[in-house]
Amino acid sequence: MLELRHRAPRHRRAAPLLPRLPGPAAAGAAARSLPPDGLKEQYYSEQHSSLINKAYQTLLNPLSRGLYLLELSGVEPAQETDCDADSAFLMEIMEINEKLAESKNENIIEEIETLIKVKQEELTRELTAAFEKDDLQEAKKLLGKMKYFANLEDKLKTKKIPS
């Protein structure tokens, strides 16, 4: 007698929906690449603290803040090779540079320092007005001028440091 046995049809296993998870060895290697648990918070805190300090320093200085605002607006800052500055301005910078280079008198150095501060404050006010009017090209020109005065300020600091 022929007996028919009922066999359940074989089903193929469905492909997994998620990719295969790495084994414990791979997870251990990934965990070792991070600092130990107690130091993770400190590590991330140091990273973020560094970024916050950099941002604060950028926003603190009118020149770097203006350059950052130009960058956010998609405007390339003026390069030193750009000759947008008028000749009277360039003559003024050249004269200040000459006075600074030749001067050994402390009173003259203080006068130059005062002049640089006054010019920087004036340019900062003009720059603020340009940004308020959304005149980015004027802001770009003013920032170019501010770079000249920042260079003068650096030279002045170098001059004041006794050698």
Side-chain angles (χ1 to χ4, degrees):
M1 177 165 104
L2 197 49
E3 214 176 279
L4 293 174
R5 292 189 178 168
H6 178 62
R7 286 179 130 180
R10 290 187 181 185
H11 294 287
R12 289 189 177 177
R13 286 192 330 179
L17 297 176
L18 298 173
R20 234 179 123 183
L21 296 175
R32 283 188 298 277
S33 71
L34 290 173
D37 286 338
L39 297 177
K40 283 181 187 177
E41 286 181 22
Q42 181 181 352
Y43 173 77
Y44 290 116
S45 176
E46 287 172 2
Q47 295 299 314
H48 288 100
S49 177
S50 171
L51 290 172
I52 289 169
N53 287 336
K54 184 178 177 185
Y56 179 73
Q57 290 303 316
T58 297
L59 297 175
L60 187 62
N61 181 318
L63 175 60
S64 60
R65 182 174 58 242
L67 292 170
Y68 180 70
L69 290 172
L70 272 188
E71 182 184 324
L72 285 178
S73 301
V75 177
E76 288 288 320
Q79 300 300 320
E80 289 184 19
T81 56
D82 294 348
C83 294
D84 287 345
D86 58 283
S87 58
F89 173 76
L90 293 176
M91 286 296 291
E92 180 184 16
I93 295 297
M94 192 170 71
E95 288 172 8
I96 296 171
N97 258 321
E98 287 175 0
K99 276 186 187 177
L100 193 56
E102 295 170 358
S103 178
K104 295 188 191 307
N105 184 339
E106 195 168 315
N107 291 334
I108 294 175
I109 291 175
E110 286 179 15
E111 287 176 21
I112 294 171
E113 183 176 23
T114 303
L115 174 67
I116 290 171
K117 285 181 182 179
V118 167
K119 291 291 188 175
Q120 287 176 323
E121 289 170 1
E122 180 182 313
L123 287 169
T124 300
R125 283 191 300 276
E126 291 175 20
L127 180 64
T128 301
F131 274 116
E132 286 174 353
K133 294 177 189 172
D134 203 27
D135 187 352
L136 299 179
Q137 291 307 311
E138 181 64 19
K140 180 178 174 177
K141 278 189 217 176
L142 291 167
L143 286 166
K145 289 180 177 184
M146 288 177 83
K147 283 182 185 180
Y148 280 101
F149 280 103
N151 289 336
L152 285 172
E153 188 176 34
D154 289 342
K155 289 178 184 179
L156 181 69
K157 286 178 185 175
T158 303
K159 184 90 170 178
K160 288 177 77 173
I161 296 173
S163 28

